[in-house]
Amino acid sequence: LAALPEIVMAHRPDASVVTGIIAETGRIRRQGGSVDLVAHRLTSEIILGARSAGIIAARDLDETLCFFLVSRLLSSLLSRHQTLMALRPAITYAFGGDETFPAASSGHPAADDGEFMAGAAADTAPAGADPEAATARPVPPAVERIAEDYVVPVALLVAAIGAEGVASCDDRALPEIEAIAARCAEFIAQIATIEATRPAILSVDVAERLRLMLADGELAAADVLLADADVMGQARHDGGAPGEAGAASAATTAIRVMRARLAEIAGDWRNAARLYAYAVAGLAPADRLGRGPLLSRQAAALVAHGSRHDDDRVLLEAAQIYAEAGGFLSEEHAPLDWAQAHVDLGELLLLLGAREARPERFLAAALHFKPAVDVFSRLHAMDRWTAAQFGLATALKRTGEFQGDVVTLGDAAFAFRAALGLLTKDRAPKAWAEAQVALGETLVRIAEETGETDVLEDAVPALKAALAQPSELVADLDVGAAKAALGRAYVSLAASHDDETMLQEAITLLESALDAGIRALSPSEAAAIDNVRGTALWSLGESRTSVRLLEDAVRAKLSALEHLEASGGSAAADRVREDLDALADAIQRLEAAGAGARTHDRAALDRAS
């Protein structure tokens, strides 16, 4: 017990992590969950740092007991809402020095989200805006709640939301708004940290003016203020003595990093990447460990810009910078940063592979995720391990899907199950649901490739569990993909069980999947759904001797063929053409048997309606 204060203080997380933890516990409390897992994760970081520094071994301490005591203390603290709220003035003071700083509540009544979001973008305009009108505009309760959770000024969050171009404040937009709030909280923490540890970088006057500008949501004015500080720092660097020049160079680098983070808040990702590059250029050539993290942030900004503007050239530039960042990091001296650089590059390769339809990108991504999984496992960084494991599973899944490789798909299913061993729907409902859908899709594909339906006994419950989650917890889950996978599973099961009811349910799911997906379906994805839907209609038509259903099957297969021809899937298109020929023969046979089949089916459909 006597050693715990030294351990916690020496290896405590920085202010931005604390702010994020407070925000996360607020969400968990609202959802009725337990904060124990959050405390466990925070304790892991602290104890890992103490172990790496040799404190635990030097003091001859029982690491398990240390972990237990710190975890219980943090869990007790995080579970007390009033205690956390009592901490808010201290965090606020670090930001603005005034306990009444407007960190959350604006006092405005609830607003229509569309009206507010349309006005938020106008609020960010540097010229011609009416300040009184801007402050009078009502703020949605969701935005106020997120601002309170992250301890950031409402005006700052509103300005950042408008600059990022978020269209609404509905459930689907909340994760993006929370990400914006996290960036604001990071920037606030950075100001407090620099002011406390390196006061020469920001004078008291500049820091105070910066706080006031952010409190009013004046992002452009704040950037001008930091740009002036950058120019002054560069002048000191150019004209100072060698020792002074080094200090001025460090100050200039810090200011450029602040400007880059402010550009991220303002949604100007391209400019953020440029500023990170300038910050890297200001570092001493020997500062390899300093270059790695900044290059990673530069690459992340390029990924954000390239994704938003569909610019593959920028994404490829980001991949090169991620690779460069990894070269400056050492697995021996900075294992967590080194592994995270591999994860970041792996996720970018997954994105590029999907955009370019190049399976070799997925294989390369797997090769980056695997060493990161090993490092995070060895260092017991379980949250990062879960993300890396999920990335590895996704890379294996997409590789197996492109190659039709059942062995690789089996490896992917194993990896998804491993990730689900740590993910829980209470702690991370979105990630848990995504992993369930991905596992279900993988198992369905294995069944389709092998004809073995036993694996579907695990696929169906996984997909149903994901679809059963409340929409507010998994707002941006790809419902279309989940429904499509479940429909495909039912088609395979119906074929082995001769179950018309299951076929009909499969058709309904597949039709719904074509409309329910949050993201737009690619031609190959739409082709796969239409093709399976056509197969289900075909089977149902044969079972009911229905020409009408067979004609619906033809239309579905023709739609699949059109998508395949657009995406260049020649082999799959040939198989669909063979199906169409067989369907034409089946329709001719039924029509030759007499018109009664069509009439009888019409009566049956009327009764079903």
Side-chain angles (χ1 to χ4, degrees), residues 551-576:
E551 289 173 342
D552 287 342
V554 168
R555 282 188 282 271
K557 293 280 185 178
L558 284 172
S559 178
L561 181 61
E562 181 179 349
H563 288 305
L564 287 170
E565 288 175 340
S567 62
S570 57
D574 289 340
R575 289 193 292 271
V576 172

Side-chain angles (χ1 to χ4, degrees), residues 209 223-233:
R209 287 165 61 196
D223 181 62
V224 170
L225 181 65
L226 289 174
D228 290 342
D230 187 359
V231 171
M232 293 176 64

Side-chain angles (χ1 to χ4, degrees), residues 89-174:
I91 298 173
T92 297
Y93 179 80
F95 179 84
D98 181 357
E99 203 167 297
T100 61
F101 187 83
S105 177
S106 67
H108 297 313
D112 174 76
D113 288 350
E115 176 188 351
F116 166 74
M117 299 312 298
D123 290 345
T124 63
D130 181 357
E132 292 186 3
T135 55
R137 181 173 286 107
V139 178
V143 174
E144 289 195 337
R145 187 184 69 243
I146 291 172
E148 179 179 355
D149 283 344
Y150 283 86
V151 199
V152 299
V154 167
L156 173 60
L157 183 56
V158 168
I161 290 171
E164 191 69 282
V166 180
S168 69
C169 287
D170 60 14
D171 288 343
R172 294 180 183 179
L174 290 183

Side-chain angles (χ1 to χ4, degrees), residues 20 34 37 76 94 247 273 313 349 352 372 401 440 485 527:
S34 169
L37 288 172
S76 178
R313 182 184 58 81
L349 290 169
L352 284 169
E401 287 173 341

Side-chain angles (χ1 to χ4, degrees), residues 385-386 389 414-424 432 435:
W385 178 90
T386 303
Q389 181 72 15
F414 180 85
F416 280 125
R417 287 191 175 102
L420 284 165
L422 286 184
L423 287 172
T424 67
W432 178 85

